[in-house]
């Protein structure tokens, strides 16, 4: 088809006046945006250069045709009519011309079809993706924004827009009109100002020519031409779109500089950083934006971690100083200073273990300022890494997967970004290793040097609390870093294991140190829940259980998943053998240290912290509260021995069983060794009380039996008990009273042991005189309740020795009468001393067990009576 020329723009006229034709017969207003004929006509105007579809050439003048006729002739119109086209365009074409036109038209159609097919094949996946995305978007919009209920969201929007338009017209229209007028004036003035030379140039040229100054006129003319050519748009106004390209270019240059600066700023989101890198790659800046980001962020993270570490160390050093510049760490110049400080702290912390919120008290004990500073330092370093490294690695991983790469290859290896991330982790590990003196080899890493920044005056319970808190912070940080899958090769896992081992070592040393000072907590206050024991044993059990549990947690036996509060899930893990061995050894060493402390409690001088008088706890039978003097070493010794009974019989086996269950091990050999040590120490302490008492009674017996003025062979028949025996028995009464007042549960054990010693000493003394005496029978009957089988055997041997050494004398023919006389004397002496020696008699009010013991004592008494009757003819005292 030939080029179509219109002398008048009919379509624009019809659209402007909303008419259907230039010769309307009635009033009409037609919306041509919804009508096909005029839209086709407008479309045809943009395609004026299309050729003849039949390829026959020629130019058609359509000015004489109306709009409907034009639409039927134009091939791009929806109302195209082939007959009208041929009659209007090719009225004189021959058959051969039309046949050739058909061939040309078919070739054109085939070519366009092939182009469309190729286009579809090359972009089929895009068509499918666009179709799927369009369907999904349409379905989503139909359910929400374009729902029928909301009338496709048009009604509210239209209402808002209408009201806004009305209001805006009322408010802003006058202002905008005045602003437009002012802008026009400013523009005009600006043009006149910039072009003042050109406005005055014509007059100057005319004056110069008229005056004959042709050289001046030529010079001014050349100047004006030069200015006009060299600075277009600056002297004279140009179209607004002329500078659109340069303005956009200037904006992109400014954006490039701004984006490069943003890549080096902290706190930007990953999406913002990625978008900035993509824009810079599109701008093809000389610098590689991805490496600009990596280098700047890597340096920033490393610097922030170093600054956090240095600041933390300085704060820790300052934590040793109070606001008055005096040391918060007390002076430990005297040997007893540390013991007194730790003893006071342990007293408060162990009492707090029985409360509902023990951690609040334990965390504020001695040295908590330093521990708080250490925890803050670890937390700050961890937060710097955790807040920055994930974003850094996310972009680095995208880069490793092929994103953000420039077409031109870079000299730097892409794996360098991974090494940068590893450098950040290694710096974190180096800081913690340097501060806590961590070691890689667990089995050989124990060191006697504690980190210099740890408070030396902090008790083991506070140390365990803060070590656990610091370890949890490190674990949380390592868990987040491990989730990034950096491929760090076990670096962070090794850090946790090294920290566990180091913290375990610090806790164990603090544990053993405090165990040596535990005896300072012994105030000898009775424990009402456990008779014949003091509260010290309950404190000891709480101390050992809490520290063993803390050591178990630090070793990894109990772990918590990420979360806070009730969301943290606790689970039990398998503890490595090296940790089990260390905890077990520390537990046993602590018990041995506590046992050594019992010896200090029974020293000649009362240990520090022990009062001179303390209430025994339980009221007396008369309703009075009994007081005991703790300044007496024998009193403290009896209380310690009483505690040993509960310690060896219940407390230590229970603690060892709990340790075995928690660690999943068996300490049977260590249990036997420990119990042997406890038994040996118990015997040593018990003998330390009994032996001196028995020796004092033995001296009285020995002086009375081996008296130089006493001739046992020539002495007449006794008529009374000699005073030395009363004195000896009264000594036993005093011992009985002391044991009953201090620790009644030791009464039978103590008196049994004393009777055995006294019987042994009596046997040795009577072996030297080799004669009988009434006193030994009196002592035997008086102490019959406490005669143990070994003592009974000793007394029986004594009777045998006396029988073997007996020799008849003149006047012994009436043996039975003498025996009856001795029995009467013995019975009268028993009655006369019944009140003094009542404590050695069995109580009438007895429980089932007491009755059984009483019956057994009665049977033993009957047996001894039979033996004495059998020896009656030979055991009569002279």
């Amino acid at each position: 088809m030939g080029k179509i020329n219109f002398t008048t723009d009919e379509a624009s006229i019809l659209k402007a006046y909303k008419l259907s034709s230039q010769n309307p017969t009635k009033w009409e207003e037609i919306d041509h945006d919804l009508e096909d004929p005029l839209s086709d006509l407008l479309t045809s105007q943009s395609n004026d250069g299309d050729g003849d579809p039949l390829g026959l050439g020629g130019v058609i003048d359509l000015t004489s045709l109306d709009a409907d006729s034009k639409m039927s002739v134009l091939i791009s119109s929806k109302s195209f009519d082939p007959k009208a086209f041929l009659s209007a365009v090719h009225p004189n074409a021959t058959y051969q011309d039309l046949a050739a036109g058909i061939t040309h038209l078919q070739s054109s159609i085939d070519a366009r079809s092939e182009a469309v097919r190729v286009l579809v094949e090359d972009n089929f996946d895009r068509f499918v993706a666009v179709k799927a995305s369009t369907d999904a978007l349409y379905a989503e919009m139909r359910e929400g924004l374009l729902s029928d209920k909301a009338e496709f969201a048009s009604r509210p929007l239209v209402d808002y827009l209408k009201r806004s338009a009305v209001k805006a017209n009322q408010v802003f229209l006058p202002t905008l009109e005045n602003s437009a007028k002012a802008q026009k004036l400013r523009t005009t003035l600006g043009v006149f100002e910039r072009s003042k030379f050109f406005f005055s140039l014509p007059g100057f040229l005319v004056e110069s020519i008229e005056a004959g100054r042709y050289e001046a006129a030529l010079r001014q003319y050349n100047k004006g031409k030069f200015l006009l050519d060299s600075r277009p748009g600056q002297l004279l106004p140009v179209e607004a779109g002329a500078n659109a390209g340069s303005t956009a270019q200037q904006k992109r240059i400014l954006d490039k500089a701004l984006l490069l600066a943003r890549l080096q700023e902290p706190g930007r989101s990953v999406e913002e950083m990625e978008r900035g890198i993509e824009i810079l790659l599109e701008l093809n800046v000389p610098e590689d934006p991805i490496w600009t980001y990596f280098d700047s962020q890597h340096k920033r993270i490393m610097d922030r971690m170093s600054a956090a570490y240095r600041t933390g160390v300085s704060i820790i050093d300052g934590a040793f100083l109070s606001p008055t510049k005096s040391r918060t760490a007390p002076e430990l110049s005297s040997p007893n200073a540390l013991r007194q400080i730790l003893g006071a702290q342990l007293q408060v912390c162990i009492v707090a273990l029985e409360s509902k919120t023990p951690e609040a008290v334990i965390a504020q004990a001695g040295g908590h300022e330093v521990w708080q500073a250490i925890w803050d330092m670890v937390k700050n370093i961890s937060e710097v890494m955790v807040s920055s490294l994930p974003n850094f690695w996310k972009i680095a991983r995208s880069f490793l997967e092929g994103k953000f790469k420039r077409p031109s290859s870079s000299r730097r290896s892409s794996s360098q970004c991974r090494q940068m991330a590893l450098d950040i982790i290694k710096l974190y590990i180096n800081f913690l290793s340097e501060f806590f003196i961590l070691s890689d080899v667990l089995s050989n890493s124990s060191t006697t040097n504690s980190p210099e920044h740890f408070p030396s005056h902090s008790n083991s319970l506070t140390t365990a609390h803060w070590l656990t808190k610091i370890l949890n912070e490190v674990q949380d940080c390592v868990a987040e870093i491990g989730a990034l899958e950096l491929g760090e090769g076990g670096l962070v896992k090794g850090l946790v294991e090294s920290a566990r081992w180091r913290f375990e070592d610090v806790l164990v040393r603090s544990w053993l140190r405090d165990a040596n000072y535990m005896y300072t907590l012994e105030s000898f206050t009775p424990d009402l829940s456990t008779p014949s024991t003091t509260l010290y044993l309950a404190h000891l059990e709480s101390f050992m259980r809490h520290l063993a549990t803390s050591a178990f947690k630090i070793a990894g036996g109990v772990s918590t998943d990420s979360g806070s509060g009730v969301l943290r899930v606790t689970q039990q893990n398998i503890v490595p053998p090296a940790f089990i061995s260390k905890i077990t050894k520390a537990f046993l060493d602590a018990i041995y240290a506590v046992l050594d402390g019992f010896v200090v409690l029974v020293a000649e001088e009362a240990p520090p912290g022990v009062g001179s008088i303390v209430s025994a706890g339980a009221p007396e039978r008369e309703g009075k509260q009994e007081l005991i003097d703790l300044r007496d070493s024998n009193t403290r010794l009896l209380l310690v021995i009483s505690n040993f009974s509960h310690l060896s019989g219940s407390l230590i086996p229970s603690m060892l069983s709990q340790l075995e269950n928690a660690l999943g091990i068996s300490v049977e050999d260590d249990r036997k060794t420990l119990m042997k040590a406890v038994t040996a120490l118990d015997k040593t302490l018990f003998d330390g009380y009994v032996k001196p008492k028995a020796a004092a009674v033995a001296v009285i017996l020995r002086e009375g039996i081996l008296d130089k003025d006493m001739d046992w062979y020539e002495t007449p028949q006794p008529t009374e008990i000699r005073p030395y025996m009363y004195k000896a028995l009264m000594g036993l009464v005093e011992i009985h009273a002391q044991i009953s007042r201090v620790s009644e549960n030791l009464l039978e054990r103590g008196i049994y042991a004393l009777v055995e010693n006294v019987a042994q000493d009596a046997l040795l003394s009577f072996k030297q005189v080799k004669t009988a005496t009434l006193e030994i029978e009196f002592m035997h009957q008086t102490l019959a309740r406490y005669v143990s089988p070994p003592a009974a055997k000793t007394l029986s041997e004594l009777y045998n020795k006396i029988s073997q050494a007996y020799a008849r004398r003149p006047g012994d023919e009436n043996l039975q009468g003498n025996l009856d006389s001795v029995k009467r004397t013995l019975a009268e002496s028993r009655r006369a001393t019944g009140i003094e020696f009542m404590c050695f008699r069995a109580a009438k009010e007895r429980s089932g067990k007491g009755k059984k013991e009483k019956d057994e004592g009665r049977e033993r008494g009957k047996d001894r009576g039979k033996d004495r009757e059998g020896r009656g003819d030979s055991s009569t005292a002279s």
Side-chain angles (χ1 to χ4, degrees), residues 651-663 665 667 671:
L651 187 58
I652 290 181
S654 174
M655 290 193 299
L656 290 177
S657 298
Q658 294 177 19
L659 181 69
E660 290 177 332
N661 295 333
L663 300 181
I665 59 173
V667 293
R671 183 196 297 267

Side-chain angles (χ1 to χ4, degrees), residues 797-854:
E797 184 179 353
L798 174 61
Y799 287 131
N800 292 333
K801 291 292 183 180
I802 294 175
S803 299
Q804 293 173 4
Y806 176 74
R808 287 181 177 273
R809 295 176 299 174
D812 289 345
E813 291 78 6
N814 189 11
L815 187 60
Q816 185 62 41
N818 292 337
L819 179 60
D820 294 338
S821 177
V822 169
K823 289 183 177 180
R824 284 194 299 272
T825 302
L826 181 61
E828 291 174 357
S829 299
R830 289 292 306 281
R831 284 193 298 270
T833 59
I835 297 177
E836 289 85 348
F837 302 138
M838 184 179 295
C839 61
F840 297 128
R841 296 181 181 180
K844 294 182 179 181
E845 299 79 18
R846 285 290 184 179
S847 60
K849 180 179 179 181
K851 292 180 179 179
K852 181 177 180 181
E853 293 176 353
K854 182 177 180 181

Side-chain angles (χ1 to χ4, degrees), residues 53 101-116:
I102 292 175
T103 303
H104 180 271
L105 181 60
Q106 186 65 41
S107 299
S108 299
I109 293 174
D110 294 339
R112 292 195 178 188
S113 299
E114 180 64 19
V116 172

